[in-house]
Amino acid sequence: MSGSEVRGICPSAFEPVRDIFAAHLDQGLEIGARFSLAIEGEIVVDLMGGWADRAATRPFAEDNLCSVFSTTKAMAALMVATLVEAGALSYDQPVADLWPEFAAAGKGAVTVGEALSHQGGLPGLVEPMAPADWFDFGLIDEKLAAASPMWAPGTASGYHPVTFGYLAGEVFRRASGRELGAALAHDIATPFGLDLWLGLPDAEHARCAEMKKPPAMPKLGPLTEARRVAFLTPWSSPGGVSLPEWRRAAIPSVTGHATAPALARMMAIFACDGVIDGRRVLSGETIREAVRPRVKGADLVLPYDLAWGAGLLRNEGLRIYGPGDETVGHSGWGGSCAFADPERRVSGAYVMNRQSAELIADARAMALIEAAYTAL
């Protein structure tokens, strides 16, 4: 089997999507990749090709998992929404109601919704530490609880690339008594047959595609203290551990692994009024609260005007997930993304193992999504 061969499902109406996917492979823009599109929660397009390893010895296959970096945040957003649905928490309640220590340094009024929409003023940790400290969840939670916000919470968004996961994860744990990654597996991945993982067991590591890091850092615009803390300190992201340790870690902002069809079907919950496979996961009311714009405007970390829901990026103004203002999703460092369009009841995802320098607007993903919408 040739790694350059495009395989999978593609009805004739979507041939332009296959053509773009094949062109990306032919042009060397990919090592290996997969793109999936679902309508009403059913996969209608599922394309894969290229190689699962940098040495080009293993063709990219149906069972290959990709590290999806910040696309993980869509998994976290869904799991917090399930607690809202169950009445275990509210987006409008202060985080400190669940996590009293978090009230320190003027953060007592920060709501769950504000924390999940990057308004809490904690885009990174200011004090120097070892990159491996990120794998000590108790330590990071202590640091975040004690930290002073870098701007007045609730006044603007400033993307929290890593700290988001600890905020969402601790809120989830305090409200439910469970770890978010384990709950994802038990409540969503296993019942619906979705190849989604947050905290990858050793037995699954052999399925992972080898990632090739981008040649450059993302363009962030003029350096500010918030941008420096979020991305540019030696400790701004988890590191200093082996690849297996990274994969095992269940950090709900960055260490998720998935296939494209699994992400596309997961996002169908948001696209299809909370229902997947005929079973209701979320009510329409909970979805509306999860996706409504909680903050709009110039982000203090990412160089974009953004609109955030509770953990999901809204498409309005950006147009990175097709044409719809009501579409929501999330993207990961290097190119991965997952999105949900409730107006057309369409969802989709793109994963790959050659990372670009983009944080949210990867040209490969956008070209595939645009072609898919044209075919629709």
Side-chain angles (χ1 to χ4, degrees):
M1 185 190 301
S2 168
S4 61
E5 175 190 349
V6 178
R7 304 178 300 282
I9 303 166
C10 187
S12 57
F14 291 94
E15 280 299 322
V17 183
R18 179 193 287 271
D19 292 343
I20 289 172
F21 191 94
H24 291 167
L25 290 170
D26 292 342
Q27 294 163 15
L29 300 178
E30 306 281 16
I31 297 175
R34 192 170 185 180
F35 176 74
S36 299
L37 190 78
I39 300 176
E40 298 282 354
E42 297 296 324
I43 298 295
V44 295
V45 175
D46 184 22
L47 297 171
M48 73 201 80
W51 304 96
D53 61 331
R54 294 189 297 271
T57 65
R58 292 188 291 129
F60 198 99
E62 287 189 16
D63 68 343
N64 284 136
L65 294 167
C66 285
S67 179
V68 298
F69 296 95
S70 284
T71 303
T72 305
K73 293 179 176 72
M75 303 181 195
L78 171 62
M79 295 313 297
V80 174
T82 65
L83 294 188
V84 174
E85 178 74 13
L89 60 77
S90 162
Y91 290 122
D92 296 327
Q93 76 180 106
V95 171
D97 279 2
L98 300 160
W99 182 4
E101 301 90 337
F102 189 78
K107 304 191 300 298
V110 175
T111 67
V112 171
E114 287 171 342
L116 294 180
S117 55
H118 304 272
Q119 297 186 72
L122 303 171
L125 291 169
V126 175
E127 297 299 321
M129 66 181 197
D133 285 349
W134 287 105
F135 298 90
D136 184 338
F137 286 71
L139 174 65
I140 300 303
D141 288 342
E142 289 178 7
K143 288 179 178 290
L144 287 171
S148 297
M150 299 189 73
W151 61 86
T155 61
S157 73
Y159 184 55
H160 292 38
V162 181
T163 53
F164 171 96
Y166 296 85
L167 299 173
E170 189 63 4
V171 163
F172 189 93
R173 188 180 72 83
R174 299 263 179 154
S176 70
R178 300 194 295 165
E179 300 297 329
L180 193 151
L184 173 72
H186 183 271
D187 298 354
I188 301 295
T190 299
F192 296 105
L194 304 183
D195 211 350
L196 301 170
W197 303 86
L198 181 55
L200 191 67
D202 286 4
E204 308 294 337
H205 288 200
R207 297 201 288 130
C208 291
E210 291 181 6
M211 304 298 293
K212 182 175 181 179
K213 291 185 178 180
M217 285 294 292
K219 295 178 181 178
L220 296 171
L223 182 62
T224 64
E225 183 63 6
R227 287 171 175 164
R228 186 188 74 85
V229 167
F231 285 110
L232 299 174
T233 68
W235 62 90
S236 61
S237 61
V241 299
S242 68
L243 183 57
E245 288 176 283
W246 162 272
R247 289 172 174 164
R248 290 182 203 117
I251 303 173
S253 45
V254 291
T255 59
H257 290 74
T259 65
L263 287 170
R265 297 227 314 127
M266 180 193 81
M267 293 303 288
I269 295 169
F270 291 107
C272 299
D273 198 37
V275 175
I276 180 174
D277 293 348
R279 296 160 61 185
R280 180 164 297 283
V281 177
L282 301 174
S283 66
E285 180 181 358
T286 298
I287 290 176
R288 285 189 291 275
E289 279 298 293
V291 306
R292 71 171 176 84
R294 293 176 176 272
V295 60
K296 294 183 184 181
D299 193 84
L300 299 181
V301 172
L302 296 180
Y304 302 99
D305 281 359
L306 300 178
W308 288 102
L312 294 168
L313 182 61
R314 291 180 55 84
N315 198 41
E316 56 186 282
L318 286 175
R319 296 293 191 273
I320 59 174
Y321 306 128
D325 280 348
E326 298 303 315
T327 299
V328 295
H330 216 291
S331 299
W333 177 46
S336 69
C337 70
F339 65 92
D341 179 349
E343 296 175 299
R344 297 164 183 81
R345 300 175 74 86
V346 165
S347 56
Y350 165 76
V351 301
M352 75 303 131
N353 59 349
R354 181 192 287 277
Q355 292 181 270
S356 72
E358 288 293 338
L359 288 168
I360 67 169
D362 186 273
R364 297 166 299 179
M366 289 173 64
L368 292 165
I369 293 169
E370 182 179 355
Y373 270 96
T374 299
L376 287 170

